[in-house]
Amino acid sequence: MAKTPVRTRRSGSQLSPEAIIEASLRIAARGSQDAFTVRRLGEELGADPTAIYRHFRDKDELLLSVADRAYGEVLEGIPDGLGWKDRLRALANGSLRVALKYPAVASITASRTTRRINEFRIVELILGAVTEAGLDGADAALYYRAVADALLAYVGQSAAYVLFAPEIRAGDESSWAREYRMVDPGRFPGIARLGTELAQVSAEAVFDVRVEALIAAIEARAASLPEDATRT
Amino acid sequence: MAKTPVRTRRSGSQLSPEAIIEASLRIAARGSQDAFTVRRLGEELGADPTAIYRHFRDKDELLLSVADRAYGEVLEGIPDGLGWKDRLRALANGSLRVALKYPAVASITASRTTRRINEFRIVELILGAVTEAGLDGADAALYYRAVADALLAYVGQSAAYVLFAPEIRAGDESSWAREYRMVDPGRFPGIARLGTELAQVSAEAVFDVRVEALIAAIEARAASLPEDATRT
DNA sequence: ACCTGAACACCGTTCAAGT
DNA sequence: ACCTGAACACCGTTCAAGT
């Protein structure tokens, strides 16, 4: 029984890069209950697992293409007409949303460059925001990188976390309520005093603090520049 | 030929958790040229690969123990007597240094909790810093989490990056000089205008911006509180 | 031109057998 | 009480063979 393929699309077997990317996203959307492997991909496509090597050099090239498709989903969710701060907030929130939708992709992509069209669009969006904030030249480049790398790191971290096996996650989550509540108050006074508050912090609030810290840093840098920085 | 084990410590084979952790750190310190696998660990110890299961439940439990040992190295590098800002800077710089020393460990630990002694000490250090900055209660807990998660995300991202195969890294690094220089200036004016500056941003400068943004956020939050926040 | 399937060189982990 | 080694259920990828 247990071996019948999910979708039997054999014989014809007309594969294409698009079909493979879409199948990858379907698998990635299943989160921790379905690993994103070449063999699983073959099953999902109703083809031999190695058939994808006819359309992508290796799994890494496929991954970058899939990630760029996910970037496209992020961009679709960002409305027009926002000021630079709200544009960055929309980018951050959208990135987190899409990363949690496809955690297997987001967790691997966190330190990668897709060098594809939607990444270009996101780079342009961030550059536009820091420029609108009043930065230019080396400053704009530096703060662009800080924002881009930080966002990738944040959402990649969140994605990796939801991918952990449930037992591991349960252990990590309960640690504030267990191990951290049993520390010696003499040796760890801060932990003992703030144990309750530490257990109650929400991931959303932490994410907000981190995003707002970046926005404030851009604003502070722009404010520290000489007035004549009103570029043409 | 090619099969002689690196260190033959057989027959006696007196393994211990400490010896296994130290062998793990030696392997992890070899970075991308030597994967941190159970089989490699057996070779390093001059024992059968599966012998470690007599001392650790599974690879994950070993990893957390190894990570906590690495946290100890971070703490050793932080001098006494620093103010809260310099303490956080020393923690950030030390974390990055140790993460790049043992990238295989740091890249996996970025979204984990070791629940071991040195993690407690780092939590206490950060809590002490935000308290000294003037935060308390839910605020202290929230900004603790923002700092801790951000640091883990930053150094984990950096560690994952140096672990990539050289070809992949070369492709990512050259992208600013190649793909990003060939974009259509009409469609991506920001990229076209700042291409040179983007290629020149250093990873250290980006890291600094991110760390200083966190410190400034703590300071701003503390400054926004009513005066009477001079706790007992 | 594209797909198949056996095969290779890897993983982490279990378990019966040794000492 | 601890270590060994065969074995299992996985990985990504190559390549000769099919159509």
Side-chain angles (χ1 to χ4, degrees), chain B residues 97 130 133:
Chain B
R97 180 180 53 81
V130 298

Side-chain angles (χ1 to χ4, degrees), chain B residues 38-39 50 53 59:
Chain B
V38 172
R39 279 169 175 82
T50 66
Y53 289 92
K59 200 191 175 188

Side-chain angles (χ1 to χ4, degrees), chain B residues 88-102:
Chain B
L88 290 183
R89 290 185 186 111
L91 175 65
N93 294 331
S95 299
L96 184 59
R97 180 180 53 81
V98 172
L100 295 181
K101 185 173 171 191
Y102 309 117

